[in-house]
Amino acid sequence: MILTVTLNAALDLTYRVPALTPHASHRVTEVTERPGGKGLNVARVLAALGHDVTVTGFAGGDTGRTLRERLALEPRVTDALAPVAGPTRRTLAVVDDATGDTTQLNEPGPAVSPEEWAAFLDSYEELVRREGMAAVALCGSLPPGVPVGAYALLVRAARAAQVPVLLDTSGEPLRRGVAARPDIVKPNADELAELTGSHEPAQATRDARRRGAHTVVASLGADGLLALTPDGGWRARPPKRVRGNPTGAGDSAVAGLLSALAEGLPWPDRLARAVALSAATVVAPVAGEFDPSTYEDLLTRVAVTGQATAA
């Protein structure tokens, strides 16, 4: 079992239009609605890979009810979302079919009270202590009212339960979370530069490890992943650039890392899976899902270079 945490869950709406033109009316050719937020995207991919997943975070209001109804239809996914009084946010992605570009509009999320946060912490600690819990993913932004050091608390609780924990967030929550020594952090290049002050990825990953992360896996977009671990350093690149909607590609990379960790695969195989899944998500028709045939094709062709640290 893998646990994913989405404190700022969302109901994702995706509109497709022939071409997106500012200040103009548009005829939408396709609408997709589904549970969203980074951790829920991760859970969906993990389930597609054959892993049982429990999801937690917050859900409230009519939007939260709709999200949970749709979540109940997802195979291998167990709903452990905590109720809040405020309404779950919505996100709107507009996909321009002419260019392949996506415009994203994200609501801020519900205001979480101190009592709701305390109740969530109790529930989370019970979840991470469950027998068979293989890994935890802490993903995404914080809704209003949740303390900025929230992820640091959640990292420490997972480590106290001796469950590997991956952190995927940004800004001050990332800085504080890294200091709690998560097993893996997965920032993109901009998030890594903000954390460390360095725009050179190799230097920035070293700096992030010095700040507390055991392993840093930096997402370099279309150029793949750069990983620095206690066991060595590696670079993983897709065999070709793919065109499409990159929304959710980073979440698929997280799912690849977690699934391979749960299966006990070595780091080069973990990174190859993460890169192949990420690229297969870009070409999928719906953001945050992956195209299975593209994934299978790319998995054996991802180039992984680097070496293990000498014992």
Side-chain angles (χ1 to χ4, degrees):
M1 174 67 69
I2 296 173
L3 176 67
T4 71
V5 178
T6 314
L7 296 178
N8 209 6
L11 186 66
D12 284 350
L13 300 173
T14 301
Y15 290 175
R16 302 192 74 94
V17 297
L20 183 61
T21 305
H23 315 299
S25 296
H26 297 78
R27 186 174 297 277
V28 176
T29 58
E30 182 181 345
V31 180
T32 305
E33 181 181 75
R34 55 162 203 186
K38 293 179 72 64
L40 293 181
N41 291 339
V42 171
R44 185 180 298 107
V45 176
L46 284 168
L49 293 170
H51 289 268
D52 293 322
V53 192
T54 296
V55 298
T56 190
F58 296 110
D62 290 340
T63 307
R65 282 191 290 273
T66 301
L67 183 151
R68 299 185 83 160
E69 289 169 359
R70 293 186 175 276
L71 194 61
L73 303 176
E74 300 278 355
R76 308 187 77 107
V77 176
T78 299
D79 176 359
L81 293 167
V84 289
T88 293
R89 66 185 179 130
R90 295 161 297 179
T91 67
L92 175 62
V94 182
V95 180
D96 183 332
D97 286 333
T99 65
D101 292 336
T102 300
T103 299
Q104 193 87 17
L105 302 174
N106 298 327
E107 295 179 358
V112 177
S113 71
E115 295 77 16
E116 290 167 338
W117 172 241
F120 170 81
L121 283 177
D122 289 341
S123 173
Y124 171 81
E125 289 178 358
E126 290 180 8
L127 288 169
V128 296
R129 291 193 180 101
R130 284 186 179 176
E131 184 177 354
M133 189 61 68
V136 178
L138 309 174
C139 303
S141 61
L142 302 179
V146 171
V148 71
Y151 282 133
L153 292 175
L154 302 185
V155 167
R156 293 188 186 104
R159 290 184 57 77
Q162 298 184 339
V163 177
V165 55
L166 181 151
L167 177 61
D168 183 13
T169 187
S170 60
E172 187 66 10
L174 174 61
R175 189 185 70 80
R176 297 198 186 193
V178 164
R181 301 185 63 78
D183 295 273
I184 305 171
V185 294
K186 195 214 71 65
N188 62 34
D190 290 339
E191 292 162 351
L192 189 60
E194 183 181 5
L195 173 67
T196 65
S198 174
H199 290 271
E200 201 290 305
Q203 179 62 49
T205 55
R206 291 192 292 270
D207 289 347
R209 282 204 70 210
R210 283 194 287 268
R211 290 170 180 263
H214 287 266
T215 289
V216 180
V217 180
S219 174
L220 306 179
D223 293 324
L225 298 174
L226 175 66
L228 187 61
T229 85
D231 302 320
W234 290 272
R235 177 75 181 270
R237 297 177 174 87
K240 60 181 180 180
R241 287 179 175 259
V242 294
R243 182 178 179 273
N245 180 6
T247 305
D251 304 330
S252 290
V254 169
L257 294 172
L258 285 177
S259 62
L261 182 154
E263 295 166 26
L265 299 182
W267 270 107
D269 291 343
R270 296 183 198 182
L271 297 171
R273 178 179 292 184
V275 168
L277 280 170
S278 181
T281 297
V282 172
V283 302
V286 177
E289 298 181 0
F290 69 94
D291 181 76
S293 61
T294 302
Y295 167 62
E296 295 293 342
D297 174 61
L298 293 176
L299 183 59
T300 59
R301 299 194 294 125
V302 173
V304 182
T305 56
Q307 60 184 8
T309 303

